Amino acid sequence: MKLYMTEMSGNSFKVRVLASILGLDYESIRIDWENNEHKSDSFLKLNPRGQVPVMEIEDRVLWDSTAHLVYIARRYGGETWLPSDPLQMAEIIQWMAFAQNEVQFGLQWARGVTVYGRRPESFEGYLTDGRLALNILEDQLVKTGDWLALGRATLADIACYPYVKRSGEGDLPTTYYPEVEAWLSRCESLAGWIEMDPKV
Amino acid sequence: MKLYMTEMSGNSFKVRVLASILGLDYESIRIDWENNEHKSDSFLKLNPRGQVPVMEIEDRVLWDSTAHLVYIARRYGGETWLPSDPLQMAEIIQWMAFAQNEVQFGLQWARGVTVYGRRPESFEGYLTDGRLALNILEDQLVKTGDWLALGRATLADIACYPYVKRSGEGDLPTTYYPEVEAWLSRCESLAGWIEMDPKV
């Protein structure tokens, strides 16, 4: 298993932290993001999105972090991180879709404006969706307690963590979301957790 | 199984067409979208996003269409629509994540501007991501032939269909994407397929 990544990619972090928790060996290939290697012809052949992370598994390529997490969890994680029961699986997938929707297009992209100056014209929309993301997470944790789903740490938590953790940099601080802040700390206390690069 | 939906919701269509293909019985509850029932207190208790579709399964609620498709496919679809093999499952999940990323935040939201006047300031970004979506789909179909993944119809195709089908209304016509157009027709010829409401 090969992982093309950068330390500053939150989506790469999701895959790296799950692999660390499960104690998996894999080859890590750092993309030279600063020199636009992710937009090179050879990289675009691997991933037409021009993004990291990308995984090579034998002769197959997967270029989406949600897919990477699903692969690792089902191949190496037993029933813990993504159970095979249809309803439990669907519940986890719901939170992974939420991570790719409101968390990404709200929290992550708001930070894309403030930190990288990307698409500033869309900032208000990102803030609206980002606030919805934090409200939904806070309400869910009030209901469920320690974790987003199934009463234990799952892919739901890993998929949501990085861009919630960094949301303050996008003018959406977690200060008023005490359950969210406690949950972030709880994620960080999992055995095998690794520290996220400050540049994510 | 209860499905809260509207005929004009593309995400509801994904669930309805899969249920039709599999011949599933369920209770369909139409939300009065025109009178903002999806923003009512009682509906927001079911789904904090304020959107359809929502599914109730016994005493559980799922409010994300990706999760609905995963539930139905794993519960009623055998190995066809979302196989249990980790790598094959991950490949399908990749295209479902793509449907929630470039297809939604490109094609669907570009149409949200032209048809509903939503977030017009973000139109250029939606067009950029929507073009990427169509390019990626066309290239994939050139490589794989009839279907997006696994050489057969899967959740990958159903998840991508609705907002690709309607992308022309968002100034992103499929005219220059012959493989995409052939694939849309191929989806429509599946046994059990239902016609999508013209208002989607």
Side-chain angles (χ1 to χ4, degrees):
Chain A
M1 195 167 99
K2 282 187 198 174
L3 183 73
Y4 297 81
M5 48 69 77
T6 70
E7 296 83 1
M8 58 184 283
S9 150
N11 285 323
S12 299
F13 177 79
K14 299 173 190 176
V15 182
R16 293 167 57 222
V17 75
L18 180 62
S20 172
I21 289 171
L22 294 173
L24 299 185
D25 274 333
Y26 63 95
E27 183 183 350
S28 181
I29 299 165
R30 190 187 187 281
I31 287 297
D32 187 358
W33 192 267
E34 295 76 4
N35 289 310
N36 275 320
E37 186 181 350
H38 54 298
K39 303 296 179 193
S40 67
D41 287 348
S42 61
F43 191 78
L44 289 172
K45 270 187 204 155
L46 275 181
N47 180 6
R49 281 174 161 169
Q51 298 172 352
V52 286
V54 173
M55 271 177 64
E56 280 184 340
I57 303 149
E58 294 154 26
D59 63 338
R60 307 305 290 264
V61 175
L62 292 174
W63 40 251
D64 180 88
S65 63
T66 304
H68 302 159
L69 295 176
V70 165
Y71 172 72
I72 294 173
R74 291 304 310 151
R75 174 80 177 74
Y76 300 106
E79 290 292 309
T80 304
W81 297 89
L82 182 68
S84 55
D85 171 79
L87 192 48
Q88 292 194 353
M89 180 182 283
E91 196 171 333
I92 304 305
I93 292 289
Q94 169 178 289
W95 291 102
M96 299 181 83
F98 173 80
Q100 294 292 344
N101 276 275
E102 288 84 354
V103 173
Q104 178 178 200
F105 288 92
L107 301 177
Q108 180 183 350
W109 287 45
R111 185 174 167 272
V113 178
T114 56
V115 175
Y116 299 106
R118 286 189 205 128
R119 300 191 181 174
E121 72 282 4
S122 300
F123 193 48
E124 282 305 316
Y126 299 152
L127 290 178
T128 300
D129 294 342
R131 271 184 219 109
L132 179 63
L134 291 174
N135 287 333
I136 288 176
L137 288 168
E138 183 76 6
D139 289 349
Q140 178 71 2
L141 290 162
V142 166
K143 269 192 277 184
T144 59
D146 289 352
W147 305 102
L148 287 175
L150 309 187
R152 64 172 186 269
T154 66
L155 291 191
D157 306 288
I158 289 181
C160 289
Y161 173 90
Y163 295 108
V164 175
K165 177 71 177 175
R166 290 291 184 263
S167 65
E169 294 179 9
D171 279 4
L172 291 162
T174 51
T175 319
Y176 303 106
Y177 300 89
E179 294 298 328
V180 169
E181 294 207 330
W183 164 80
L184 289 168
S185 301
R186 211 171 286 125
C187 290
E188 291 155 13
S189 71
L190 287 168
W193 193 264
I194 53 177
E195 204 180 336
M196 196 159 70
D197 191 281
K199 287 201 297 288
V200 171
Chain B
M1 197 167 99
K2 281 186 200 176
L3 184 71
Y4 297 81
M5 49 69 77
T6 69
E7 295 83 3
M8 58 183 285
S9 149
N11 285 323
S12 298
F13 177 78
K14 298 173 190 176
V15 183
R16 292 167 57 221
V17 75
L18 179 62
S20 171
I21 288 171
L22 294 173
L24 298 185
D25 273 333
Y26 63 95
E27 183 183 353
S28 182
I29 300 165
R30 191 185 187 282
I31 287 298
D32 186 0
W33 192 268
E34 295 76 5
N35 288 310
N36 274 321
E37 187 180 350
H38 54 297
K39 302 297 180 194
S40 67
D41 287 348
S42 62
F43 192 78
L44 289 172
K45 269 186 203 155
L46 274 182
N47 180 6
R49 280 173 162 170
Q51 297 172 353
V52 286
V54 173
M55 270 176 66
E56 279 184 342
I57 303 150
E58 293 153 28
D59 63 337
R60 310 303 291 265
V61 175
L62 293 174
W63 40 250
D64 180 88
S65 64
T66 305
H68 302 160
L69 294 175
V70 165
Y71 171 72
I72 293 173
R74 291 304 309 151
R75 175 81 176 75
Y76 300 105
E79 289 294 309
T80 303
W81 297 90
L82 182 68
S84 55
D85 171 78
L87 192 47
Q88 293 193 352
M89 179 182 284
E91 197 171 332
I92 304 306
I93 292 288
Q94 169 178 289
W95 291 102
M96 298 181 83
F98 173 79
Q100 294 291 345
N101 276 274
E102 288 84 354
V103 173
Q104 177 177 202
F105 288 93
L107 301 178
Q108 180 183 349
W109 288 45
R111 186 174 167 273
V113 177
T114 56
V115 176
Y116 299 105
R118 286 189 204 126
R119 299 192 183 174
E121 72 282 6
S122 300
F123 193 49
E124 283 304 314
Y126 299 151
L127 290 178
T128 301
D129 294 342
R131 271 184 219 109
L132 180 62
L134 291 174
N135 287 332
I136 288 176
L137 288 168
E138 183 76 6
D139 289 350
Q140 178 69 5
L141 290 163
V142 166
K143 268 192 279 185
T144 59
D146 290 351
W147 304 102
L148 287 176
L150 308 188
R152 66 171 185 268
T154 66
L155 291 191
D157 306 288
I158 288 180
C160 290
Y161 174 91
Y163 294 109
V164 176
K165 178 70 178 176
R166 290 290 183 262
S167 65
E169 294 179 9
D171 277 4
L172 291 162
T174 51
T175 320
Y176 303 108
Y177 299 90
E179 294 297 330
V180 169
E181 295 207 330
W183 164 80
L184 289 169
S185 301
R186 213 171 284 126
C187 290
E188 291 156 12
S189 71
L190 286 168
W193 193 266
I194 52 176
E195 203 180 337
M196 197 160 69
D197 191 280
K199 287 201 298 288
V200 171

